[in-house]
Amino acid sequence: MGTNDIFILAIESSCDETSAAVIADGKVLNNIVATQSVHEKYGGVVPELASRAHQENLIPVVQEAILSSGISKDQLSAVAFTRGPGLMGSLLVGVSFAKAFAFAKKIPLIEVNHMNAHILAHFIEDPKPNFPFICLTVSGGHTQLVLVKSHLEMEVIGETQDDAVGEAFDKTAKLLGLPYPGGPLIDKYAKEGNPKAFQFPITRMPELNYSFSGIKTAVLYFLRDQLKENPKFIEENLADLCASIQYSLVEMLLIKLKAAVKQYGVKEVAIAGGVSANSGLRDTLTQFATQKGWNLYIPKFEYCTDNAAMIAMAAHYKYLKGEFSSMDVTPLAKMKI
């Protein structure tokens, strides 16, 4: 490593994962993640508990990232952090640490939009998409179709009008009696089930927008009626229920993605965010991309969920453009691309 290398420490603390990473000239050296298990018994993320866990985890995670990178704190060129969107208390922990670190080391601060970073996770490793490309970003809090024109120029062309698809997975899983987080469990059981066993409504929204609240209500009433007839209905049909719910949600995602590809004439297609780890979505999209001749890009599982490597990658491109933040920067619970 030369004397002019760009070394950036990145911090991610938007929800319930505390993560730190170091990037050197655009190459991610590590990606340290501490996952919080405290939320499982509550059936969802408890913001106050998340903030406390970030306070406990952040210094050890940062220390591990710096140590395992092989560079010293004094070699760092900048410190990056997630400004938003996310839970305000969780973001505050990361932002406050980053500001203190940057002040102590007299290095620049780089704020990163969490949703931009999910998309830029595609540039951590090869193969990398060519510009322009369309990215379907799917997570617990967001579902968006984004036209990506360059590393720093992105346009949201469609998004959910209510629940995100990740919420839809978790909420329907809860109706089935599955523990939090339920989305991965629906994926697991769906592999053994028949996706056409039960029909749930496919919500169709104007233009390239989504709606996922309807399927939750439909599943609620369907289960209520079936359980009256057979109290063991869920237990006896769990795999088929999971497969059918997953099929409907994936179908809704793909209908709009297909429309976006056609509308914009772009065949470079990517998926990002926590729900892009779903095997049903990956498999269906891979098959469809092969049929249609799309170039499809899917990140490794470790870069789908919230992580600092993607924050580091976004920060690298901002550093090259000299896009730094002032010391009075504050976190934003809501933040547009």
Side-chain angles (χ1 to χ4, degrees), residues 185-249:
L185 291 173
I186 285 188
D187 189 16
K188 176 187 171 183
Y189 291 119
K191 291 172 184 172
E192 310 296 324
N194 174 9
K196 302 291 181 69
F198 307 106
Q199 278 198 318
F200 296 110
I202 304 292
T203 307
R204 297 182 185 272
M205 295 292 286
E207 299 172 335
L208 296 175
N209 293 319
Y210 293 101
S211 170
F212 295 102
S213 61
I215 190 169
K216 175 193 63 180
T217 308
V219 171
L220 174 68
Y221 291 138
F222 175 76
L223 293 176
R224 181 195 64 183
D225 295 343
Q226 295 298 325
L227 288 168
K228 284 179 187 173
E229 304 288 325
N230 176 11
K232 291 188 173 181
F233 178 77
I234 294 176
E235 186 183 326
E236 292 171 359
N237 297 277
L238 184 59
D240 285 349
L241 284 164
C242 288
S244 300
I245 290 167
Q246 181 162 288
Y247 173 82
S248 300
L249 290 170

Side-chain angles (χ1 to χ4, degrees), residues 84-85 113-120 135 137 142-159 334-337:
N113 183 314
H114 182 84
M115 301 311 296
N116 290 62
H118 268 305
I119 294 169
L120 293 175
C135 186
T137 308
H142 296 83
T143 302
Q144 296 178 330
L145 281 167
V146 182
L147 180 64
V148 186
K149 301 170 186 176
S150 72
H151 295 113
L152 299 177
E153 189 182 0
M154 305 178 189
E155 178 189 352
V156 176
I157 55 176
E159 60 189 331
K334 293 183 178 179
M335 191 175 180
K336 292 187 179 295
I337 280 183

Side-chain angles (χ1 to χ4, degrees), residues 10 32 36 44 54 56-57 67 70 83 89 147 154 187 190 215 259-260 272 322 324 333:
I32 313 300
Q36 302 174 6
H54 283 304
E56 292 172 11
N57 294 337
L67 283 172
R83 186 181 183 190
L147 180 64
M154 305 178 189
D187 189 16
I215 190 169
F324 303 125

